[in-house]
């Protein structure tokens, strides 16, 4: 055992270190020369003399022996001391604990070069951090498969996004969005308001009300959403913001369809009113035309054509009335040829105005179908009307 009397004689230094709340040891790189009361308690010894003269490696786990020797060499070349390092250390009873240490070179009264190390037991802190990590992992597993898109941001950077959020932002997997700035996805019109709300979230424990926002997906597509955010204090040991997003695309489309449906309803009511007003003078015209035909039919054959056209007008008016007027669904067996023929009669004038010719080819072998005639007519009206409007200039005919 090396002579330790020189260092024991330095009472003024001993008294200064003795009452430190941190465990402090002094050694020459091989054996302990001094330990304070906190160091004695740290390793579970009863007295300081149980530790003095012991090899320093006696208290360090064999897995860290080599790094310990290397750091003892470095400490004499680093003026400001070594950075913190976590060792696995051994108590007197053989139990292990995690210790955070830092060392610096000191000199005794004789000028001898020694090493002073401060040791802190961080086992509880490491256990707490591990528990936090496990809790965060459990939380992530919980929310990964939730149907609601969820994004967690740390100072504006996305640190987590579940699968629903990845799909909403048009990504393929989480790596497409994690690490990106959240403002990459928020429409510029909402940047200023988002910054204000983020500040409020970090100062409150309450979630924000849902507000509508526009996002820009990875493909450049605009996405209508509503979002609510709340602060999480201990996600990976730091406060972050968790945001729940709701895709409003389908709801917006439904609202647009409702508005369009209401407009169509108004148009239908207007068409029904106009058709009703047309029928009165149309009845008079047809009656007088029939009288003229009886008296002058042999002299004016075009009266037959007039009656035929008046009947055609009456048929079109009846179609308007049946399509615009609400009615109960009534199924009956009908032939498709007759249904399509009546629809063509209804839309033929619109086709002529668009310089489109409607060609009807209906096989007589097609069996009758059981349907609601008016609703099926509405289907064909929509199909043919869309075809008329979308027919290119190079091909101005439609086959049904």
């Amino acid at each position: 055992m090396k002579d330790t009397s020189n260092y024991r004689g330095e009472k003024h230094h001993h008294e200064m270190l003795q009452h430190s709340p941190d465990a402090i040891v002094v050694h020459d790189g091989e054996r302990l020369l001094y330990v304070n009361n906190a160091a004695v308690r740290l390793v579970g010894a009863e007295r300081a003399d149980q530790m003095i003269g012991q090899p320093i490696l006696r208290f360090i786990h064999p897995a860290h022996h080599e790094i310990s020797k290397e750091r003892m060499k470095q400490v004499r070349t680093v003026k400001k001391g070594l950075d913190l390092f976590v060792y696995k250390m051994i108590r007197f009873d053989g139990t292990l604990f995690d210790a955070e240490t830092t060392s610096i070179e000191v000199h005794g009264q004789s000028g001898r070069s020694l090493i002073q190390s401060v040791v802190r037991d961080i086992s509880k802190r490491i256990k707490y951090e591990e528990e936090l990590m496990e809790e965060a992992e459990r939380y992530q597993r919980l929310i990964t498969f939730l149907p609601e898109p969820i994004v967690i941001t740390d100072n504006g950077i996305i640190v987590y996004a579940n699968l629903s959020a990845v799909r909403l932002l048009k990504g393929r997997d989480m790596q497409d969005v994690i690490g990106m700035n959240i403002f990459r996805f928020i429409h510029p019109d909402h940047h200023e308001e988002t910054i204000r709300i983020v500040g409020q979230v970090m100062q409150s424990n309450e979630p924000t009300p849902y507000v509508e926002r526009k996002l820009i997906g990875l493909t450049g597509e605009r996405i209508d959403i509503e979002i609510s955010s709340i602060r999480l204090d201990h996600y990976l040991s730091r406060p972050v913001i968790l945001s729940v997003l709701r895709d409003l695309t389908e709801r917006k489309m439904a609202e647009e369809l409702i508005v369009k449906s209401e407009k169509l309803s108004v148009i239908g009511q207007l068409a029904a009113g106009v058709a009703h007003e047309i029928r009165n003078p149309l009845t008079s015209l047809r009656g007088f035309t029939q009288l003229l035909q009886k008296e002058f039919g042999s002299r004016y054959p075009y009266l037959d054509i007039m009656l035929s056209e008046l009947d055609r007008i009456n048929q079109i008016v009846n179609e308007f009335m049946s399509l615009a007027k609400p009615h109960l669904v009534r199924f009956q067996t009908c032939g498709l040829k007759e249904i399509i023929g009546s629809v063509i009669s209804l839309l033929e004038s619109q086709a002529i105005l668009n310089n489109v010719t409607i060609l009807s080819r209906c096989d007589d072998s097609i069996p009758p179908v059981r349907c609601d005639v008016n609703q099926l007519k509405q289907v064909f009206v929509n199909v043919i009307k869309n075809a008329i409007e979308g027919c290119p200039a190079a091909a101005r005919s439609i086959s049904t």
Side-chain angles (χ1 to χ4, degrees), residues 346-399:
L346 181 65
L347 297 176
E348 196 167 20
S349 58
Q350 182 179 349
I352 293 171
L353 290 174
N354 286 273
N355 196 28
V356 172
T357 302
I358 301 177
L359 303 177
S360 178
R361 298 186 182 92
C362 195
D363 195 333
D364 293 333
S365 63
I366 296 177
V369 295
R370 185 167 175 77
C371 63
D372 181 286
V373 176
N374 289 319
Q375 290 194 2
L376 193 56
K377 284 181 180 179
Q378 184 64 62
V379 171
F380 288 123
V381 165
N382 293 340
V383 172
I384 297 175
K385 187 173 181 295
N386 289 339
I388 292 171
E389 294 174 351
C391 192
R396 306 304 292 178
S397 64
I398 299 171
S399 296

Side-chain angles (χ1 to χ4, degrees), residues 307-372:
L307 278 173
S308 175
E309 292 301 308
L310 285 171
D311 287 339
R312 185 165 173 271
I313 293 172
N314 191 54
Q315 181 185 0
I316 293 172
V317 169
N318 288 336
E319 294 294 339
F320 268 120
M321 293 287 288
S322 64
L323 291 174
K325 183 179 179 181
H327 55 277
L328 295 175
V329 176
R330 292 189 304 171
F331 286 90
Q332 54 185 308
T333 302
C334 296
L336 286 177
K337 186 174 183 179
E338 292 75 15
I339 294 174
I340 293 174
S342 65
V343 171
I344 291 174
S345 297
L346 181 65
L347 297 176
E348 196 167 20
S349 58
Q350 182 179 349
I352 293 171
L353 290 174
N354 286 273
N355 196 28
V356 172
T357 302
I358 301 177
L359 303 177
S360 178
R361 298 186 182 92
C362 195
D363 195 333
D364 293 333
S365 63
I366 296 177
V369 295
R370 185 167 175 77
C371 63
D372 181 286

Side-chain angles (χ1 to χ4, degrees), residues 13 68 78 83 116 129 141 191 227 264 297 305 340 372 397:
H13 192 67
S68 174
V78 180
D83 294 331
Q116 177 178 300
E129 290 175 351
R141 287 196 296 271
H191 281 191
I227 180 172
L264 289 174
I305 298 174
I340 293 174
D372 181 286
S397 64

Side-chain angles (χ1 to χ4, degrees), residues 146-158:
L146 285 179
E148 292 279 20
I150 293 175
V151 174
I152 297 176
T153 56
D154 179 15
N155 290 321
I157 302 300
I158 298 174

Side-chain angles (χ1 to χ4, degrees), residues 297-309:
S298 59
R299 295 171 55 190
Y300 303 106
Y302 56 77
L303 288 173
D304 291 334
I305 298 174
M306 290 175 64
L307 278 173
S308 175
E309 292 301 308

Side-chain angles (χ1 to χ4, degrees), residues 183-225:
F183 288 95
R184 154 65 179 81
F185 299 101
I186 297 175
H187 193 279
D189 292 347
H190 301 302
H191 281 191
E192 186 175 342
E193 181 66 11
T194 300
I195 292 171
R196 184 186 67 81
I197 291 177
V198 166
Q200 290 180 350
V201 171
M202 295 305 292
Q203 301 299 321
S204 172
N205 293 321
E206 301 297 324
T208 63
Y210 278 96
V211 293
E212 290 193 17
R213 291 285 181 267
K214 283 190 181 295
L215 299 183
I216 302 175
L218 289 169
T219 58
E221 179 182 346
R222 292 191 179 186
I223 309 161
D224 291 303
I225 66 157

